[in-house]
């Protein structure tokens, strides 16, 4: 066993003395040591129940003959961090989580790991760590929140943010906003729509790193506790069979993830996280492949914010495996891949039928013949830009309008709420990318303000920052190269005509080559917004969003 390095033989007697100090018995030390990575905390609603999930995992590990040992991972609540300095610290935690988990797993020579994440950067951070450490690992998330109910209608966090925009437009009273605040998020769990957390927990199933139901069983269901116990038992099987993350997360597994991503209509943040996870697994996942996969993958689900159904309903309809089964009817998946269930994808999804064609459209009757996410390119985004196509109004799939340019999120919000943005405008928010932010803030506040004020079918928003999975509308993010490194988004001026064609996957602004070069000659790089602490180090090391905003290791 790998853990023999810290527990067996005379040389390891000092180590055993420390295990004795932990209260571990001789019998426990004779068993494999299984690290349980607990993301429990009391600030993230999606994590407040993880202590119960961890306890269930511990029972499962012990029942199957292992010794469970818990250690922590951090997590940021994107909703609480939204719209202020805190959002700069969201994406950057992905690497802190991966690094700290690697450090704990390697320093203590665990034989296997059970990852217990739930929210936005916590899930990809732990998937990155799993690929990097590459010892037998299985995931069990904390599960999604149930949808809220207001006036007999289901609702969620995205409606809450849009209510603020409606209030600014005089369409909702303060009392009505407070009613939303008290009812939109009724339980623990990751927010109830197909936002980033639920997107990544669903894609963890698709990648093969989580068991059936990992992405969809609601946090408050007892079934979630049973799933956690099974995950604890399953790690012992993976250890026995020596099935490791890099055996599971292969190039074909990432193609499967992109395919199901398109069918589900996942958060655009998946276009940051999947390449970053793939990088740790030794797979080069170029975003160019995304449009190729999207072109042949029908969009089968319109979950909030794209529609009015929620993760709990996806679960009732058969969950992720049912979606995969629909896709497999047209042979769109690689089904011979091994997974953390100990079985192949084909074995996993066999018999997992679609129980509700209103929630999961049959593949013969999709919402669209192409996938839910599009990668755009053009003279405004020579590397890439990303949009959640399934959440864009039909009339905004092709749009042309004047640029309204802002160099930070706050200025844009003030203009939107101040009534300075009108029908037809294209709001440009720049210097909010991975380096320029730093930290690539989510722009849920501006997109929600646009939707809440009734401008969602006439106004587009473009940024080198990113969007929450709760954003909807013609919200185009991840523009790369970003403004901070001299990308053309830095050269856009007020009133320039911007041309968006999502069906054609293009994003351009109208400018001659001569004028573009003249503006480039006058452009002066901005002084860094942050010059000390972790954010400064992150800004120095982070790469383009088109590469997943991974950190580039300096070569000495």
């Amino acid at each position: 066993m790998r853990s023999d390095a810290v527990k067996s033989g005379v040389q390891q007697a000092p180590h055993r003395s420390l295990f004795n100090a932990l209260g571990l018995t001789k019998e426990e030390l004779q068993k494999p040591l299984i690290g349980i990575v607990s993301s429990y905390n009391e600030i993230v609603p999606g994590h407040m129940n993880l202590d119960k999930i961890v306890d269930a995992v511990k029972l499962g590990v012990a029942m199957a003959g292992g010794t469970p040992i818990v250690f922590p991972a951090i997590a940021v609540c994107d909703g609480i961090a939204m719209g202020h300095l805190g959002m700069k610290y969201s994406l950057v935690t992905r690497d802190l989580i991966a690094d700290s988990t690697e450090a704990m797993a390697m320093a203590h020579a665990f034989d296997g790991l059970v990852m217990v994440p739930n929210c936005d950067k916590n899930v990809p951070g732990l998937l990155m760590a799993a690929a990097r450490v590459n010892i037998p690992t299985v995931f069990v998330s904390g599960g999604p929140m149930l949808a809220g109910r207001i006036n007999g209608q289901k609702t969620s966090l995205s409606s809450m943010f849009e209510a603020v925009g409606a209030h600014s437009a005089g369409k909702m009273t303060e009392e009505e906003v407070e009613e939303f605040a008290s009812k939109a998020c009724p339980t623990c769990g990751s927010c109830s729509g197909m936002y980033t957390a639920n997107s990544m927990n669903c894609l963890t199933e698709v990648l093969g790193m989580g068991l059936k139901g990992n992405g969809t069983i609601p946090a408050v269901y007892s079934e979630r506790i049973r799933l956690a116990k099974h995950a604890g038992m399953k790690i012992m099987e993976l250890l026995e069979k020596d099935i490791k993350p890099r055996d599971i997360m292969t190039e074909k597994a990432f193609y499967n993830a992109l395919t199901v991503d398109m069918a589900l209509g996942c958060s655009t943040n998946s276009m940051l996280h999947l390449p970053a996870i793939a990088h740790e697994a030794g797979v080069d996942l170029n975003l160019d492949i995304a449009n190729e996969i999207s072109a042949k993958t029908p969009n089968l689900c319109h979950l909030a914010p794209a529609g009015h159904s929620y993760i709990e309903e996806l679960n009732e309809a058969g969950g992720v495996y049912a979606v995969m089964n629909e896709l497999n009817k047209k042979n769109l998946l690689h089904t011979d891949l091994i997974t953390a269930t100990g079985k192949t994808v084909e074995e996993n999804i066999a018999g997992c039928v679609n129980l509700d064609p209103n929630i999961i459209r049959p593949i013969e009757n999709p919402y669209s013949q192409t996938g839910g996410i599009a990668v755009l390119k053009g003279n405004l985004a020579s590397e890439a830009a990303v949009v959640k196509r399934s959440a864009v109004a039909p009339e905004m799939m092709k749009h042309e309008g004047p640029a309204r340019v802002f160099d930070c999120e706050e200025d844009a919000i003030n203009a939107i709420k101040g009534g300075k943005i009108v029908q037809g405008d294209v709001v440009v928010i720049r210097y909010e990318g991975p380096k320029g932010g730093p930290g690539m803030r989510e722009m849920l506040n501006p997109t929600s303000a646009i939707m809440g004020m009734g401008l969602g079918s006439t106004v587009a928003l473009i940024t080198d920052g990113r969007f929450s999975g709760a954003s909807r509308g013609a919200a185009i993010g991840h523009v790369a190269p970003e403004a901070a490194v001299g990308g053309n988004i830095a050269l856009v001026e007020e009133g320039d005509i911007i041309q968006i064609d999502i069906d054609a996957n293009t994003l351009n602004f109208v400018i001659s080559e001569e004028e573009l070069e003249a503006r480039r000659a006058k452009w002066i790089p901005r002084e860094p917004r942050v010059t000390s602490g972790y954010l400064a180090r992150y800004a120095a090391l982070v790469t383009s969003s088109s590469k997943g905003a991974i950190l580039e290791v300096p070569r000495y």
Side-chain angles (χ1 to χ4, degrees):
M1 287 186 288
R2 189 168 177 271
S3 60
D4 285 343
V6 295
K7 67 184 187 183
S8 299
V10 174
Q11 188 68 30
Q12 279 66 43
H15 304 67
R16 286 196 299 277
S17 72
L18 295 169
F19 282 116
N20 289 336
L22 289 168
L24 293 178
T25 66
K26 180 179 179 181
E27 291 79 7
E28 287 173 302
L29 290 179
Q30 290 172 341
K31 299 175 182 179
L33 302 185
I34 305 300
I36 302 175
V37 187
S38 171
S39 303
Y40 169 77
N41 61 54
E42 295 182 340
I43 188 62
V44 184
H47 291 226
M48 62 183 285
N49 65 319
L50 295 191
D51 54 343
K52 297 175 178 61
I53 303 297
V54 167
D55 286 344
V57 171
K58 289 173 68 177
L59 281 173
V61 169
M63 284 191 291
T67 297
I69 301 175
V70 179
F71 65 88
I74 65 168
V76 162
C77 177
D78 277 20
I80 295 174
M82 194 71 64
H84 62 97
L85 176 65
M87 182 44 70
K88 293 180 185 289
Y89 285 90
S90 171
L91 179 60
V92 305
T93 64
R94 188 183 69 180
D95 294 276
L96 283 175
I97 291 161
D99 292 350
S100 60
T101 303
E102 173 196 1
M104 291 293 288
M106 299 303 290
H108 302 104
F110 287 107
D111 296 298
L113 297 171
V114 181
M115 305 291 198
V116 187
N118 210 27
C119 289
D120 295 22
K121 312 311 168 295
N122 184 242
V123 182
L126 290 180
L127 283 165
M128 289 165 67
R132 192 184 299 173
V133 175
N134 201 35
I135 60 176
T137 303
V138 66
F139 277 65
V140 55
S141 77
M145 184 185 290
L146 294 179
R149 283 187 178 272
I150 297 177
N151 299 324
Q153 300 293 318
K154 286 188 175 181
T155 190
S156 61
L157 184 67
S158 53
S159 299
M160 181 70 253
F161 275 90
E162 289 176 19
V164 176
H167 176 263
S168 297
K171 298 179 179 181
M172 187 175 286
T173 66
E174 187 173 345
E175 290 74 19
E176 289 172 322
V177 172
E178 284 307 308
E179 183 182 11
F180 265 81
S182 66
K183 296 178 179 178
C185 299
T187 72
C188 62
S190 47
C191 296
S192 56
M194 188 53 81
Y195 310 149
T196 305
N198 292 326
S199 295
M200 294 311 302
N201 282 323
C202 287
L203 295 180
T204 297
E205 273 190 69
V206 184
L207 282 171
M209 292 299 295
L211 307 184
K212 180 185 178 184
N214 177 73
T216 59
I217 298 170
V220 295
Y221 284 13
S222 297
E223 186 182 358
R224 174 66 54 178
I225 300 296
R226 296 197 298 273
L227 179 71
K229 291 177 182 176
H230 283 131
M233 291 185 273
K234 185 61 64 174
I235 189 59
M236 300 309 295
E237 178 185 335
L238 296 177
L239 188 60
E240 181 183 355
K241 294 179 178 179
D242 195 31
I243 299 174
K244 300 185 181 74
R246 290 194 180 199
D247 301 324
I248 296 169
M249 291 192 284
T250 62
E251 184 176 50
K252 289 181 178 179
F254 284 101
Y255 288 172
N256 281 352
L258 280 172
T259 300
V260 179
D261 190 336
M262 298 299 171
L264 285 173
C266 290
S267 164
T268 52
N269 281 312
S270 63
M271 294 295 103
L272 276 178
H273 300 322
L274 288 175
I277 299 161
H279 174 75
E280 296 291 352
V283 174
D284 181 17
L285 192 65
N286 191 310
L287 283 186
D288 289 342
I289 196 69
N291 283 340
E292 294 179 33
I293 291 174
S294 180
K296 60 184 179 182
T297 305
N299 178 225
L300 305 182
C301 298
H302 267 192
L303 300 160
H308 299 289
S309 54
Y310 298 85
I311 301 296
E312 62 198 70
E313 291 159 299
L314 177 61
N315 186 62
E316 292 162 6
V320 174
Y321 280 8
V323 175
M324 294 174 74
N325 223 348
E326 286 290 341
L327 294 171
N328 201 40
K329 291 177 181 178
K330 290 195 175 180
N331 299 313
L332 294 175
L333 297 176
H334 300 280
T335 60
D336 59 341
L337 311 179
I338 195 65
T339 71
T341 67
K343 300 177 181 179
T344 64
V345 171
E346 182 177 19
E347 292 173 308
N348 286 343
I349 66 176
C352 296
V353 298
N354 181 359
L355 301 175
D356 189 342
N358 293 315
I359 302 301
I360 305 171
R361 288 278 188 94
I363 200 162
E364 302 82 9
N365 181 36
Y367 284 101
S368 65
Q369 293 295 337
T370 52
I373 291 177
V375 176
L376 314 182
K377 288 190 176 182
N379 68 359
L380 195 48
S382 59
E383 290 180 10
V386 180
V387 63
K388 189 169 184 173
R389 173 165 40 198
S390 59
V392 178
E395 57 268 35
M396 290 298 291
M397 295 294 285
K398 189 172 184 178
H399 180 75
E400 182 172 306
R404 305 299 308 280
V405 183
F406 304 94
D407 287 350
C408 67
E409 177 189 8
E410 290 82 357
D411 289 349
I413 292 171
N414 290 336
I416 295 166
K417 291 185 176 180
K420 296 179 181 179
I421 303 302
V422 299
Q423 292 185 8
D425 283 348
V426 179
V427 177
V428 177
I429 306 177
R430 61 192 181 189
Y431 294 100
E432 291 284 9
K435 285 185 179 292
M440 203 179 182
R441 287 195 288 180
E442 289 184 345
M443 302 291 159
L444 179 55
N445 277 345
T447 57
S448 297
I450 288 169
M451 299 304 296
M453 296 180 75
L455 296 171
S457 62
T458 60
V459 170
L461 194 155
I462 297 172
T463 181
D464 53 7
R466 59 196 178 92
F467 295 108
S468 164
S471 290
R472 63 189 178 105
I476 300 169
H478 306 201
V479 170
E482 62 175 294
V485 299
N488 282 354
I489 191 172
L491 308 180
V492 176
E493 294 183 358
E494 187 82 7
D496 283 349
I497 298 301
I498 293 181
Q499 299 172 329
I500 300 165
D501 192 335
I502 295 173
D503 286 330
N505 300 319
T506 59
L507 178 63
N508 292 288
F509 69 123
V510 178
I511 189 171
S512 68
E513 284 298 320
E514 293 78 14
E515 174 63 16
L516 186 63
E517 288 308 310
R519 290 186 191 181
R520 185 172 302 284
K522 292 188 294 183
W523 179 75
I524 300 173
R526 297 290 179 95
E527 289 294 321
R529 283 175 170 155
V530 179
T531 57
S532 63
Y534 178 59
L535 287 180
R537 280 182 278 134
Y538 179 88
L541 297 175
V542 71
T543 60
S544 170
S545 58
S546 65
K547 296 181 179 180
I550 60 174
L551 300 188
E552 198 165 56
V553 180
R555 301 297 178 187
Y556 296 103

